[in-house]
Amino acid sequence: MDVRRRFPKSAAARPAETVRSSVSGGGAASRVLASDALPLPIRHTNLLFSAVFAASLVFLMRRWREKIRSSTPLHVVGLAEILAFVGLVGSLIYLLSFFGIAFVQSVVSSHDEEEDFLLCPAPHAAAASTPPAAAPTPAPCPLLCDAATPPEKMEAVTEEDEEIISSVVAGTTPSYILESKLRDCRRAAGIRREVLRRMTGRSLEGLPLDGFDYGAILGQCCELPVGYVQLPVGIAGPLLLDGRQYYVPMATTEGCLVASTNRGCKAIAVSGGAASVVLRDGMTRAPAVRLPSARRAAELVAFVEEPSNFETLAVVFNRSSRFARLQGIQCALAGRNLYMRFSCGTGDAMGMNMVSKGVQNVLDYLQGDFPDMDVISISGNFCSDKKPAAVNWIEGRGKSVVCEATIKEEVVKKVLKTTVPVLVELNMIKNLAGSAVAGALGGFNAHASNIVSAVFIATGQDPAQNVESSHCITMMEAVNDGKDLHISVTMPSIEVGTVGGGTQLASQAACLDLLGVKGANLESPGANARLLAAIVAGAVLAGELSLLSALAAGQLVKSHMKYNRSSKDVSKAA
C-alpha cells in the first residue's frame, strides 16, 4: 500500500514515523531527530518523555523492592513491568539523543549542522569549525606575503608551488580544488593570487592577504579567496532600547553616517529611550510548480489549504530541523503554475537553508498524491528574496518590527537644532508624499538602508538582503499638546540571524557579542535573532531622527563637506 496517501483528519495524531516513511520512500535519505518522535512542540515532547522516564523508573524500583522483600525472583516479570521497562528504555534513548547529542555537537562544532546546506562537503571541512584561536598557524609560504613585504624579505617560489601555479595557469588543475589538494587554506589563497597576477598582469597591491583565517570561510562564506577587504567599524550609542543600553557596531565607508546615528541615539536616550515590539517572525520560501491544467493546480491548492492536510505537511516540514516550525502556506496561481509561499520559524538562524530543506521535504511528500506535479524551482520569486516586493511589504518576511520613541521638545531644540512642527512637516512632505510621487515600494523613509547595511556588514548578515530588510515607513507627529515629537519606524521584513553564515567569523562574532546576541539562545530559541532585529530597528530610528533633523536645519551639506571631504592631515581634520 502506498504510504504517501492523503491523511484523514486524525493524521496529525499518528506517529511521525508514518510521515517519515513517505518522504524516504521518495528516495531522499534524511536525518531523523529525537525531537521528531511526536508531532508536538519540542517542550511538550520533552516533558512527556521526562515524565515517562521518571514514572517508569519509580514503578520498577518499587516493584523490585517488593520482590526483594518477598524473596520473589527478579526475572519473574508481569506485563506492567515489561511495559514500564520498555517505557524506561525508550524515554532514556530519547532524552540521550535529544540532550546528549545536541550538547556534544555544541561543544565539538562551532556551528549548527542544520545550517550547513552543502551537498558535497570537502573532507577537511571540519577545519572550518575550529575557533580561530585554536586553529594552528600554517607555515608561511613565499606566495602568501602581502604587497607591503620588503623585496629583500621575500623568498623565491618553491619548485612545488611553481609546479602548482603552472598547472593552474595552464588549466590542467582547477583553481577551486587548491584547498582540498594542499590542505592549507592560506597557502591556497596565496597560490591563487599569484596565478591571478600572472594571468592578468596585475598584482592586487593594496588587497591584504595575511591576517585572515581562510579556514573559517571554507565551505560556508566565500569560494576562491585571494584576500580580504578591510572596512572600518564605528560605534553608535548608547542606544537606549527597551530599558537596556546597546552600543551598535556599524561597518561603513560613508562619512557622517555613524556620527549622525550617534546623535540620534543621544536624543533618544536623554528623552527616556525607545521601545520596540516584534510583530511577526517567519522566514519564507516559495517554490514554483506546474500542473497539467489550471483545474489540477486548483486541486493542489485545496489540498494544501485543508486544515488536516496542513497539519500533516507541518509534521513533514518540521522534521527537517529541530528549530524549523511551519507557520503557514500562502498559494498564488498563474495559469497552471502554482506558487506556494511557505513561512516558518527558524530559531536564531536567518533560516534560508532551513526553510529550503523543509520545503523540499514537503514537495517530495506532495508528489505522492500529485505525481503529475512538475517542480520548476525551489524558489519561484514569490518568497521574495533580495528583491523589492509588495508581498514582503504587506505580509512580512523574517522579523517584522516596530520601534518608537517620544523626543522631548527641549531635546529637539538643543540636540537636533530644529523644532517639532518643522520635523513633522518635513517627514510628511519628504518621506510620505515624496516617496508616493516616486512610486516607492517600502521606501517611505529617509535612509533606513544606510543603517541596515552598516549593521548587517558588521554583524555577518547577508548584505544583499538589505533590499527587503530596509523596507521602512517613518512616522512623525506632535504629541503632548504639540510640544514633543513622537517618531516611529515600521520595518516588516528584517532578515537577520545570530548563527550560521558570516556570523561565525571572528570579527562579526565580536560585533554580535558586543550587542549580547552572539550565537543561539539556549533558553528561548530565536530570542537572540529577534533582539538583533529590534536593535537594527532602533538604530534606524536614531538614524532617521538625526538625518531629518539635519535636513530641517540645513546642516546636511555642511556636515558632509566636513566629514566626507576633510583633509588627510589628521591635525587639520581635528
Side-chain angles (χ1 to χ4, degrees):
M1 184 178 78
D2 185 6
V3 294
R4 299 208 286 185
R5 56 183 175 83
R6 281 189 181 86
F7 278 60
K9 292 188 177 181
S10 61
R14 295 186 182 181
E17 284 75 5
T18 308
V19 180
R20 290 196 191 98
S21 64
S22 69
V23 180
S24 1
S30 56
R31 183 164 53 96
V32 178
L33 299 174
S35 56
D36 295 326
L38 290 175
L40 296 172
I42 293 179
R43 61 181 184 277
H44 295 162
T45 310
N46 292 344
L47 289 174
L48 175 61
F49 278 96
S50 299
V52 171
F53 176 79
S56 301
L57 184 61
V58 170
F59 176 78
L60 290 174
M61 293 295 292
R62 288 182 175 179
R63 291 289 295 172
W64 291 340
R65 184 176 61 180
E66 292 175 1
K67 288 184 177 182
I68 292 175
R69 289 178 176 178
S70 60
S71 300
T72 304
L74 293 178
H75 64 272
V76 178
V77 295
L79 179 60
E81 291 173 297
I82 294 176
L83 293 177
F85 184 76
V86 171
L88 178 69
V89 174
S91 57
L92 180 62
I93 291 175
Y94 171 86
L95 294 173
L96 288 176
S97 300
F98 186 81
F99 294 103
I101 294 178
F103 174 77
V104 173
Q105 287 178 340
S106 66
V107 175
V108 175
S109 175
S110 65
H111 59 83
D112 196 276
E113 181 184 0
E114 293 156 359
E115 300 311 309
D116 297 335
F117 199 52
L118 301 176
L119 298 180
C120 299
H124 60 289
S129 63
T130 304
T137 304
C141 172
L143 296 173
L144 297 180
C145 297
D146 283 331
T149 303
E152 61 271 13
K153 292 186 178 181
M154 296 181 64
E155 304 175 9
V157 177
T158 64
E159 293 184 4
E160 181 183 1
D161 288 338
E162 182 61 44
E163 182 180 350
I164 297 174
I165 293 170
S166 301
S167 177
V168 176
V169 171
T172 56
T173 298
S175 176
Y176 61 83
I177 69 168
L178 289 177
E179 280 80 5
S180 59
K181 181 176 182 180
L182 300 175
R183 303 285 179 167
D184 187 335
C185 296
R186 185 168 173 267
R187 181 184 173 199
I191 289 178
R192 187 178 293 112
R193 184 181 178 118
E194 175 64 14
V195 169
L196 188 63
R197 185 190 69 81
R198 296 189 184 185
M199 295 181 69
T200 64
R202 302 182 184 276
S203 63
L204 293 180
E205 183 177 356
L207 182 68
L209 181 64
D210 291 326
F212 187 80
D213 182 11
Y214 292 96
I217 66 173
L218 183 64
Q220 64 177 348
C221 291
C222 181
E223 300 77 38
L224 307 176
V226 294
Y228 61 97
V229 174
Q230 296 170 309
L231 277 176
V233 177
I235 296 295
L239 170 66
L240 183 56
L241 178 66
D242 298 324
R244 295 178 59 186
Q245 289 187 343
Y246 301 95
Y247 290 87
V248 184
M250 302 174 66
T252 181
T253 57
E254 180 183 351
C256 295
L257 179 59
V258 179
S260 177
T261 308
N262 191 64
R263 182 175 74 148
C265 290
K266 178 181 178 181
I268 293 172
V270 296
S271 297
S276 68
V277 58
V278 178
L279 303 176
R280 287 187 296 259
D281 182 6
M283 181 49 63
T284 64
R285 173 61 86 199
V289 301
R290 183 169 57 203
L291 282 298
S293 65
R295 180 181 295 276
R296 185 64 171 159
E299 292 177 2
L300 178 53
V301 172
F303 177 83
V304 170
E305 293 180 347
E306 170 65 31
S308 60
N309 291 332
F310 175 81
E311 292 177 0
T312 302
L313 296 180
V315 173
V316 176
F317 185 100
N318 296 346
R319 65 183 299 274
S320 65
S321 166
R322 289 177 298 173
F323 303 105
R325 290 297 174 264
L326 185 62
Q327 299 170 347
I329 305 175
Q330 182 181 1
C331 296
L333 273 174
R336 62 192 184 108
N337 300 316
L338 172 61
Y339 302 85
M340 295 178 287
R341 190 173 188 260
F342 290 75
S343 177
C344 82
T346 57
D348 286 300
M350 184 271 288
M352 286 301 301
N353 292 342
M354 193 181 298
V355 68
S356 295
K357 290 189 286 186
V359 167
Q360 186 63 60
N361 283 354
V362 172
L363 292 177
D364 292 341
Y365 171 77
L366 286 176
Q367 285 191 315
D369 288 279
F370 295 87
D372 51 353
M373 180 183 73
D374 183 15
V375 178
I376 303 299
S377 173
I378 190 70
S379 174
N381 276 10
F382 185 42
C383 311
S384 174
D385 187 39
K386 302 173 184 175
K387 293 167 283 291
V391 68
N392 292 337
W393 177 244
I394 298 170
E395 299 293 338
R397 188 171 196 254
K399 279 70 175 170
S400 299
V401 185
V402 178
C403 190
E404 62 180 352
T406 300
I407 311 301
K408 298 178 180 179
E409 181 183 26
E410 57 269 25
V411 176
V412 174
K413 292 180 178 179
K414 294 181 180 179
V415 178
L416 302 177
K417 312 300 182 183
T418 184
T419 63
V420 172
V422 171
L423 280 176
V424 172
E425 182 183 34
L426 173 62
N427 184 70
M428 181 191 66
I429 295 176
K430 170 184 167 61
N431 285 346
L432 304 183
S435 297
V437 170
L441 177 61
F444 297 89
N445 58 81
H447 70 150
S449 177
N450 251 340
I451 291 88
V452 171
S453 296
V455 178
F456 270 31
I457 295 172
T459 58
Q461 311 304 313
D462 189 341
Q465 290 185 322
N466 164 70
V467 175
E468 61 268 38
S469 296
S470 295
H471 281 184
C472 171
I473 182 168
T474 301
M475 302 293 292
M476 287 185 174
E477 59 180 311
V479 295
N480 300 331
D481 297 326
K483 294 181 179 180
D484 301 333
L485 174 73
H486 181 273
I487 177 174
S488 67
V489 293
T490 303
M491 306 180 69
S493 50
I494 301 179
E495 300 166 351
V496 293
T498 58
V499 297
T503 65
Q504 299 172 107
L505 302 181
S507 301
Q508 288 79 349
C511 291
L512 289 171
D513 191 41
L514 175 66
L515 294 171
V517 296
K518 177 183 175 183
N521 190 305
L522 300 180
E523 296 180 357
S524 178
N528 283 356
R530 288 190 291 272
L531 177 56
L532 178 58
I535 293 172
V536 171
V540 169
L541 183 75
E544 290 287 280
L545 179 63
S546 183
L547 176 58
L548 288 170
S549 299
L551 290 170
Q555 299 171 337
L556 181 67
V557 175
K558 180 181 177 181
S559 60
H560 274 273
M561 290 300 101
K562 177 180 179 180
Y563 289 97
N564 281 20
R565 294 177 179 269
S566 61
S567 170
K568 289 186 178 180
D569 188 332
V570 177
S571 61
K572 293 181 180 180

